Amino acid sequence: MPHTPEPDEDDLDAIPPPHPVVHVEQALLGALLLEPQRLRDVTGIGADAFSTPAHAALFTALSSLPAPDPAEHSQDTKWLGTVLAAAREQTRGLSALYLQQLIQVCRWPQHTPAYARIIEAEHARRRLAAAAQQLTRTAGDTTLPQRVATTLAEADALTTVVDDIAARFPPHAGSLPRTSAPAPATDLDEDAVDEEQLLLATATAHPGDIEQMRWLTASDFTQPLHAGLWQCLTALSQRRAPIDPVTVLWEARQRGLLGPEVRPQELLTVLADPFGAAEHWGERVLQRHLLATARHIGRHIEAFADDPATTSYQLVVGSRRALADLSAVRTRWRHATAPVSNKDTPVRARAASPPRAGPPQAAAPTTRISR
């Protein structure tokens, strides 16, 4: 019969074991309590590098108090009492017994620099994870008034953390992180589908706009069919071929986009239903892709940081590669939203089209392609 613990019985199995870095912190603090003069060998960390408030308080006390005379310190515990009193001002619960335990834990005070380096590396890992989480949250927050600008600001903050880690742990030749990237979100976004179809229809009706939208690529679309149709439109535009729903349909057929789920008549109906300005819908598509990319990169870097097998050097290399993907999308976004006078002059004269506008005042008519 299985054992049922009493209500007041301690369930030790429910208490998670301490993080491995806690043992390193204990060894470092024990070394400094035993031989305070070794504090001069500790570089690269402050109180914020410790994983628990108690350890942070002890390190603050050790760093702020003058070191005792080594001979006197070996004969009495007066200085330890001073450290304990100073640490208790920040964190209650510390005891003289715990300080004694820390001293007993550390048997190799000469390894203090190595302990400090390990603590510095784990602190960098936590900082990177926190910055990546913030980027993911911000990119997914639909309540922000300036969502793209705020997301890009968080991306800059994350880049700053990566650069700081790189300065502390310069990357060197070696393997890339082995952590697999999380799967991208696959939820169907009805708004994204509608906006992509409106873009395709409006660009088909005003093909002169296509050349102005070189900042938009097939990778920005959420639906493979829509990505393929945008490639059809850009290919026809580059060839100076006539563009209308029929020519786009034939190009789609040659590219193998038609099938049981994509009937020619439905495709023609969608492409013949333009609304608003193509550039407006293109910016909406690109904005959605930028935010999705930021969320994915935040999750990817967080996965790096959560993998204990990822070294500090790999964190830097992997994070920089991930952020490079966002930087590429960001560059295209800046070009898309730049004032017209700052954009490249097109090779071909722009065809007449409705003036660029913001979101339409009325709901746009949309016919969905069967999927």
Side-chain angles (χ1 to χ4, degrees), residues 3-11:
H3 170 66
T4 303
E6 297 297 331
D8 59 346
E9 183 178 352
D10 292 333
D11 186 3

Side-chain angles (χ1 to χ4, degrees), residues 5 18 28 37 48 50 84 100 116 178-180 285 289 362-363:
L28 174 65
Q37 68 275 12
D48 60 341
F50 289 81
L84 179 61
Q100 291 297 331
R178 297 184 295 273
T179 310
S180 300
V285 170
H289 178 62

Side-chain angles (χ1 to χ4, degrees), residues 17 29 50 54 74 104 112 136 176 238 279 294 311 342 345-346:
L29 294 172
F50 289 81
S74 63
Q104 293 173 2
T112 297
T136 302
L176 293 171
Q238 290 171 0
E279 278 193 290
T311 67
N342 293 342
T345 303

Side-chain angles (χ1 to χ4, degrees), residues 210 228-243 251 255:
I210 298 174
L229 289 174
W230 181 249
Q231 290 176 323
C232 292
L233 284 166
T234 55
L236 290 170
S237 176
Q238 290 171 0
R239 298 201 304 263
R240 304 292 194 269
I243 297 178
E251 184 76 14
R255 290 173 177 262

Side-chain angles (χ1 to χ4, degrees), residues 1-364:
M1 183 175 181
H3 170 66
T4 303
E6 297 297 331
D8 59 346
E9 183 178 352
D10 292 333
D11 186 3
L12 298 180
D13 291 336
I15 302 176
H19 192 281
V21 76
V22 170
H23 300 290
V24 183
E25 294 174 4
Q26 290 176 334
L28 174 65
L29 294 172
L32 297 180
L33 290 169
L34 183 63
E35 300 181 9
Q37 68 275 12
R38 292 192 179 275
L39 182 63
R40 61 176 178 267
D41 300 328
V42 177
T43 59
I45 62 172
D48 60 341
F50 289 81
S51 62
T52 70
H55 288 176
L58 277 174
F59 187 79
T60 299
L62 288 165
S63 303
S64 59
L65 294 173
D69 179 80
E72 294 181 1
H73 183 55
S74 63
Q75 299 298 322
D76 60 54
T77 60
K78 180 180 178 180
W79 185 77
L80 294 179
T82 304
V83 170
L84 179 61
R88 278 178 171 171
E89 293 180 0
Q90 300 183 51
T91 304
R92 297 181 180 180
L94 285 171
S95 65
L97 177 60
Y98 187 63
L99 267 61
Q100 291 297 331
Q101 290 175 346
L102 292 177
I103 294 174
Q104 293 173 2
V105 164
C106 184
R107 301 179 182 179
W108 305 276
Q110 68 275 19
H111 294 169
T112 297
Y115 299 152
R117 188 64 167 169
I118 294 172
I119 294 170
E120 182 181 8
E122 285 305 299
H123 182 225
R125 186 186 300 274
R126 293 194 300 272
R127 290 175 58 212
L128 184 65
Q133 290 172 359
Q134 184 61 32
L135 174 61
T136 302
R137 284 194 298 266
T138 302
D141 189 351
T142 59
T143 65
L144 294 173
Q146 300 292 332
R147 193 175 172 190
V148 171
T150 307
T151 296
L152 293 178
E154 292 298 342
D156 289 339
L158 175 56
T159 301
T160 299
V161 173
V162 174
D163 290 344
D164 180 66
I165 297 174
R168 295 169 179 265
F169 300 89
H172 54 68
S175 61
L176 293 171
R178 297 184 295 273
T179 310
S180 300
T186 57
D187 296 338
L188 180 63
D189 189 328
E190 300 290 346
D191 290 339
V193 173
D194 291 342
E195 290 171 0
E196 290 174 5
Q197 291 190 355
L198 286 167
L199 165 63
L200 295 169
T202 308
T204 301
H206 305 286
D209 291 344
I210 298 174
E211 194 168 350
Q212 315 298 322
M213 300 169 62
R214 287 171 288 179
W215 37 264
L216 190 68
T217 68
S219 63
D220 299 326
F221 290 78
T222 62
Q223 304 299 309
L225 174 61
H226 297 167
L229 289 174
W230 181 249
Q231 290 176 323
C232 292
L233 284 166
T234 55
L236 290 170
S237 176
Q238 290 171 0
R239 298 201 304 263
R240 304 292 194 269
I243 297 178
D244 60 39
V246 175
T247 59
V248 176
L249 171 65
W250 193 253
E251 184 76 14
R253 178 184 180 276
Q254 292 183 318
R255 290 173 177 262
L257 298 180
L258 301 182
E261 295 184 354
V262 183
R263 299 175 181 177
Q265 186 57 49
E266 292 176 342
L267 186 59
L268 287 172
T269 301
V270 170
L271 293 177
D273 196 14
F275 186 81
E279 278 193 290
H280 166 69
W281 299 119
E283 286 184 16
R284 293 285 297 173
V285 170
L286 181 56
Q287 173 181 312
R288 197 181 305 275
H289 178 62
L290 184 150
L291 294 171
T293 300
R295 289 197 303 273
H296 181 70
I297 287 172
R299 292 172 58 222
H300 196 180
I301 295 178
E302 186 180 351
F304 288 155
D306 289 342
D307 186 352
T310 305
T311 67
S312 300
Y313 312 105
Q314 291 175 325
L315 285 177
V316 171
V317 174
S319 297
R320 281 181 166 171
R321 287 204 172 193
L323 286 166
D325 294 337
L326 180 59
S327 179
V329 182
R330 182 179 195 168
T331 298
R332 293 193 287 115
W333 171 254
R334 285 176 173 171
H335 187 71
T337 56
V340 176
S341 59
N342 293 342
K343 295 184 179 180
D344 297 335
T345 303
V347 177
R348 183 174 57 175
R350 184 173 181 175
S353 62
R356 184 174 174 178
Q361 299 299 318

